[in-house]
Amino acid sequence: MSEKSWWKEAIIYQIYPRSFRDSNGDGIGDLGGILEKLDYIERLGINTIWLNPIYQSPNDDNGYDISDYYSIHPEYGTMDQFEELLAALHGRGIRLIMDLVVNHSSDEHEWFVNSKDPREDNPYHDYYFWRKGKNGGPPNNWQSFFGGPAWTYVVEKDAWYLHLFSTKQPDLNWENPRVREEVKDVLRFWLDKGIDGFRMDVIPCISKNLEFADADNSDFAHVIEYVYSNGPRVHEFLQEMHRDVLSKYNIMTVGEGPGISQERANLYVGKSRGELDMIFHLEHMGIDHGPGGRFDPKPMDLSAFKQLWVEWDKAMGDEGWLSVFLDNHDFPRMVSRFGDDQQYRVESAKLLAMLILTMRGTPCIYFGSEIGMTNVSFDSIEDYRDVETRNFYRIFREKGLSEQEFLRLVEQQGRDNVRTPMQWDNSTHAGFTTGTPWIQVNPRYTHINVAQDHKASDSIFHFYQEMIAWRKAHSVLVYGSFTEVVTDHEHLFIYDRKSVDEHYRIVLNLGSEQVSRPELSGFALVFGTHEEQDPDLVGPWEGSIYQKIEV
Ligand code: ISL
Ligand code: CA
């Protein structure tokens, strides 16, 4: 059994501030909006919030391009309001985790503005990666995560700068000790305000392979793991941050882990490593991506999906810890992707909640999942806001794809699926704003909304509430072992959570067909997604928790 920590017991609720609740009618969610909804959040039972970036930013990538790490974007509110929010959360026993985006900054950050200065002795030159081009083109063939070359040319300097994401997100050069000191100052600034930790954006990418050799671009996941992530000094850098700053506070860190494989995971989160507390691995997020990545879909393989949970649990063992999730602000809505967002929306949303809340690892719930919000499909590319979607649109159009063909890909995989406003009620704009929302509300808001879910006793919201309370009351779900119970039925996923004195068996039907109920003698049903159970059959998307009883 692993040692106790508050962050292992955390139940994280991720808020995308831009889309949660707008308090002043400008169409953009804000801190005031979160403050208005604290009762709602508390009622759900969560005890930790992760906020996507709220810092000063030109918003090319909705805040993942920061131009001032020390101030709150006026769209979201003021520093006083931030402090008010933090105090209010703490008053309710809820912790706050901030997003830390230090692989890159905005190109409008003063560091980068200074860095562009061509003078030889420019002290900011080495804050970023500047290289000479090759044969009239970029220094190598690296491709940005958002499509197109990962290098942009700057005339004044006659040099190219590296950006693994958009052209407005130049990569910071962690080789430069001054950059690392800047990052430590940022960490201290927020930790001294009393926040409870950081979610670290693309953290395995901070150390670069300085040869900048060409990559084999035939498989993007491979490029991420071997070229863009896990660079030679990544562990040294993380240990330095931990030693000099993080270890001095009672906080938690969770790294976003593109390119972190099962074999590498404990190098980042192993107990004795002095790096991070936990990671989000992204392997299951790529499960329906072909070699081209996000807009190169392939069918979901359910057996592979189940296997990933089992393998990852084994890979972590007693050494490291995961945060588990099925969606976030970068991937489609979980009920649309892993469940059935039509006939069995309610059932499958509950089942997926049961999966993440009975797994070993700290569950992270993306706002809106607790009412079963779904993917969206807009009529025109103009309705999409995401920089990634818009960039790939340009690239796919050049390759000859029509707008309609591209829209079909976006409605499956695009990031705006999860960025539409929170659906609070069935009034105009779903009660998100009195103005015009920055991105359209999902038209399904008329029947998928919080008010509706509060009314119905068997709603998804109420199931989340009960399931969260159940997890909090049963520490075996946090600290107990995880063992798969092998079944030959493709759609059943069965596992045990066990400690010295408690033993539960979770039976999940990941499909819309009913299947025979497995042999469960010696077990009694204690909790389930369905009110009625057939003794012989497990219904579509039915999930149950059984307790081992003494015989
Ligand atoms: O690995 C991926 C796809 O297989 C990517 O989704 C990758 O994890 C992701 O693009 C990194 O995301 C993070 O950094 C980006 C930002 O746009 C995302 O919103 C953020 O979560 C750049 O900061
Ligand atoms: Ca607002």
Side-chain angles (χ1 to χ4, degrees), residues 128-178:
Y128 298 87
F129 294 101
W130 293 100
R131 294 292 184 274
K132 290 288 167 205
K134 251 193 346 220
N135 314 321
N140 68 18
N141 71 352
W142 291 11
Q143 295 293 299
S144 135
F145 278 79
F146 296 158
W151 299 90
T152 291
Y153 181 68
V154 172
V155 186
E156 312 90 279
K157 253 178 122 87
D158 184 28
W160 301 69
Y161 67 88
L162 177 69
H163 55 88
L164 293 183
F165 295 89
S166 91
T167 51
K168 290 186 65 63
Q169 293 168 297
D171 281 54
L172 282 160
N173 176 11
W174 280 61
E175 303 292 324
N176 180 349
R178 287 186 55 203

Side-chain angles (χ1 to χ4, degrees), residues 21-31 33 74-77 432-433:
R21 162 77 190 148
D22 171 23
S23 67
N24 63 354
D26 67 355
I28 298 170
D30 47 44
L31 297 179
E75 279 175 353
Y76 295 133
F432 163 70
T433 180

Side-chain angles (χ1 to χ4, degrees), residues 53-70:
I54 53 171
Y55 319 94
Q56 183 68 255
S57 161
N59 275 332
D60 184 53
D61 186 18
N62 287 355
Y64 282 93
D65 48 322
I66 299 172
S67 52
D68 180 359
Y69 289 90
Y70 299 101

